[in-house]
Amino acid sequence: MSNSKTVELEKQVKEELRCELDRILHRGAHEMLITAIQDEVADYIAENAGELDPETGRRLVTRNGYLPERDLQTTIGDMRIRQPRVNDQREGEKFTSSILPPYLRRSPSIETLLPVLYLKGISSNSFQDALEPILGPGASGLSSSTIVRLKASWEEDYKEWSKRDLSGKRYVYWWVDGIYFNVRLTDDRPCFLVIMGTLEDGTKELVGVWDGERESELSWSDFLGDLKRRGLKEGPKLCVGDGALGFWKAKEQQFPKTRIQRCWVHKTANILDKMPKKVQPRGKELIHEMYMAETKEEALEAYEEFMRLYKAKYPKACRCLEKDKDVLFTFYDFPAEHWIHIRSTNAIESTFATVRHRTRQTKGCGSRVATLAMGFKLAREAEKRWRRINGYKMIEKVISGVKFKDGIEQLEEAA
């Protein structure tokens, strides 16, 4: 037998083995699911075995045959399920399966997979082709109309989420930014105002996404005012953002005690843009020394060196640096463990880079509302993978007002 035929035969054998393994897994998973559902019903009936009709003495909670069969779409193929029916005659009581809720047609993993694939750039017309290798041939309910329904549900999710109660929230840090997108069916280029925050336990979460008129003070003021109306009592200890935002004036009105940290990534790009390419490497090196220095004193020495070298020849670059001097080094007054998180708005930039990719794939979303819903959905999916900030145990000290110098806690001297 030729070598090529041997290789082909090996491929066929491996494919048959893989298919057989898939069938075994599917059969086993189906049997386990049926058993779990039956056990759940049996447990419910056993727990309520003592509930009797006072007149007849008969049980009020009993089995009553089966519900109509239904197909459940899962990541290992479709399963036909025949679910036991429960007859609960008690007033106001009804059995609902926590394993297989009413009307569930897809497993939660698929419900999560669909929007993620769409947001990552899979065309709605290509959905069925993309998912058939995962779900098997003949996968149903994966047409472009599925995505249309999904996007409509995202819009409803966003409306509900944007009205949630914030009275129990306490943030220590905020990252703020304005994110621009193209809209295909209009001339709009909307700016969505985004706030991410760190809670008392160090976890990050999406605080809000707001449809604003550019990055104006008025839009940000409306945004912050809405957060306060929904119960947010205190602003964070520190906000990190780009200097071009109208946020800063709005912050002074709504949360005047919150301190400011300019984003060093934005600032670096703005400064270097005003310098010739041949001197940019040395300029970037000095900027890097400013925000990576161990102490504020060393950072200011690098600042002065930059000004000495470039003020005469590149005054615009130096003015760009000089005008934000007071708010570029604020991070030195916070725990050193937190510096990597609070020197820039990279948390927002990296999250929304994906939704920008999605809008490029579709040559822009069809409407402003659809774009907002997509951005919201992507951010909420990304939120599940955000990790707690380093040194989260120091947050309690930040909130309580402990002083830090060069990232180190300053102990009060004994009286």
Side-chain angles (χ1 to χ4, degrees):
M1 184 179 294
S2 67
N3 193 40
S4 60
K5 287 185 178 181
T6 302
V7 171
E8 184 63 28
L9 182 59
E10 288 177 352
K11 287 182 179 179
Q12 291 178 5
V13 172
K14 287 180 180 179
E15 181 63 22
E16 289 175 4
L17 290 173
R18 187 185 69 81
C19 291
E20 181 59 27
L21 178 60
D22 286 344
R23 284 192 288 271
I24 293 171
L25 291 173
H26 184 276
R27 237 183 353 257
H30 184 259
E31 290 173 2
M32 289 176 65
L33 177 59
I34 293 297
T35 301
I37 293 171
Q38 290 176 341
D39 287 346
E40 183 184 33
V41 169
D43 289 344
Y44 184 81
I45 292 173
E47 287 173 7
N48 296 286
E51 298 286 340
L52 305 176
D53 187 317
E55 295 182 2
T56 64
R58 294 180 178 177
R59 290 185 178 184
L60 294 174
V61 183
T62 58
R63 275 282 302 270
N64 185 23
Y66 288 88
L67 295 168
E69 283 188 327
R70 57 171 156 155
D71 289 328
L72 177 67
Q73 199 172 59
T74 76
T75 52
I76 58 172
D78 288 355
M79 294 184 183
R80 178 149 287 192
I81 304 298
R82 196 179 183 208
Q83 193 171 5
R85 190 198 306 269
V86 176
N87 182 20
D88 194 335
Q89 300 179 55
R90 296 174 298 168
E91 185 176 353
E93 297 292 338
K94 181 182 178 181
F95 171 75
T96 301
S97 173
S98 60
I99 299 173
L100 193 62
Y103 311 114
L104 183 71
R105 291 293 180 268
R106 295 191 186 96
S107 67
S109 57
I110 292 182
E111 292 296 337
T112 300
L113 180 63
L114 295 178
V116 169
L117 288 179
Y118 180 72
L119 291 166
K120 293 293 184 180
I122 299 295
S123 166
S124 56
N125 292 328
S126 303
F127 242 65
Q128 192 148 348
D129 292 341
L131 285 175
E132 276 191 359
I134 302 173
L135 306 180
S140 60
L142 301 177
S143 64
S144 58
S145 61
T146 304
I147 297 302
V148 173
R149 291 192 297 272
L150 274 172
K151 288 193 285 187
S153 71
W154 298 345
E155 292 173 19
E156 291 302 315
D157 289 345
Y158 170 72
K159 290 176 183 177
E160 183 178 346
W161 177 83
S162 61
K163 295 176 182 177
R164 74 197 189 284
D165 179 35
L166 298 175
S167 57
K169 298 291 186 179
R170 181 66 174 93
Y171 298 101
V172 63
Y173 300 127
W174 272 0
W175 296 268
V176 299
D177 206 355
I179 313 292
Y180 287 89
F181 297 105
N182 294 320
V183 176
R184 187 172 68 251
L185 300 182
T186 73
D187 294 330
D188 283 349
R189 191 168 184 263
C191 177
F192 299 141
L193 311 181
V194 183
I195 299 178
M196 290 172 54
T198 301
L199 293 165
E200 293 173 280
D201 64 353
T203 57
K204 300 174 190 172
E205 73 171 24
L206 193 63
V207 179
V209 181
W210 189 265
D211 187 357
E213 281 297 327
R214 299 188 179 278
E215 301 175 53
S216 68
E217 177 187 348
L218 179 60
S219 292
W220 278 108
S221 186
D222 287 345
F223 189 180
L224 297 180
D226 180 70
L227 298 179
K228 293 176 75 172
R229 284 189 294 274
R230 288 191 280 124
L232 188 63
K233 295 180 176 62
E234 295 183 70
K237 290 294 184 179
L238 181 73
C239 278
V240 188
D242 179 17
L245 298 177
F247 170 84
W248 307 111
K249 290 184 179 179
K251 180 206 76 70
E252 290 303 316
Q253 298 173 11
Q254 303 286 356
F255 299 111
K257 294 182 180 179
T258 297
R259 299 186 66 186
I260 300 170
Q261 171 62 52
R262 289 286 192 263
C263 171
W264 273 101
V265 172
H266 283 92
K267 179 55 65 175
T268 300
N270 292 339
I271 294 170
L272 296 180
D273 188 53
K274 297 170 176 60
M275 302 175 72
K277 287 188 177 180
K278 63 181 180 180
V279 298
Q280 284 184 8
R282 176 54 180 156
K284 186 175 183 179
E285 184 180 323
L286 283 172
I287 295 171
H288 187 263
E289 288 179 18
M290 292 180 212
Y291 65 85
M292 293 300 291
E294 291 291 324
T295 68
K296 187 175 181 178
E297 182 179 355
E298 293 174 2
L300 291 174
E301 287 176 2
Y303 169 89
E304 294 298 337
E305 177 68 7
F306 185 97
M307 300 299 285
R308 185 186 67 79
L309 286 174
Y310 302 122
K311 194 166 187 177
K313 290 186 177 181
Y314 314 115
K316 290 183 179 180
C318 290
R319 281 197 297 271
C320 181
L321 173 61
E322 188 176 28
K323 71 183 181 70
D324 285 329
K325 180 182 178 183
D326 292 341
V327 290
L328 278 169
F329 304 101
T330 314
F331 70 89
Y332 282 104
D333 297 335
F334 290 83
E337 294 90 338
H338 298 172
W339 288 0
I340 191 172
H341 304 287
I342 62 176
R343 286 184 295 220
S344 75
T345 57
N346 278 350
I348 288 179
E349 294 292 334
S350 59
T351 295
F352 278 84
T354 308
V355 77
R356 284 196 181 98
H357 166 71
R358 175 64 218 168
T359 55
R360 283 197 297 271
Q361 289 292 106
T362 59
K363 298 181 175 63
C365 293
S367 71
R368 192 180 186 109
V369 174
T371 305
L372 178 62
M374 182 186 294
F376 159 73
K377 187 65 179 180
L378 175 78
R380 292 287 284 166
E381 288 297 326
E383 185 180 42
K384 298 173 184 177
R385 299 184 296 277
W386 292 344
R387 64 179 182 86
R388 286 199 291 193
I389 67 170
N390 298 343
Y392 61 88
K393 293 181 180 179
M394 303 294 288
I395 288 178
E396 184 179 346
K397 295 183 177 181
V398 174
I399 291 176
S400 63
V402 172
K403 302 295 182 183
F404 290 83
K405 181 180 180 181
D406 297 327
I408 305 300
E409 179 181 352
Q410 300 298 292
L411 301 176
E412 294 184 8
E413 296 182 2

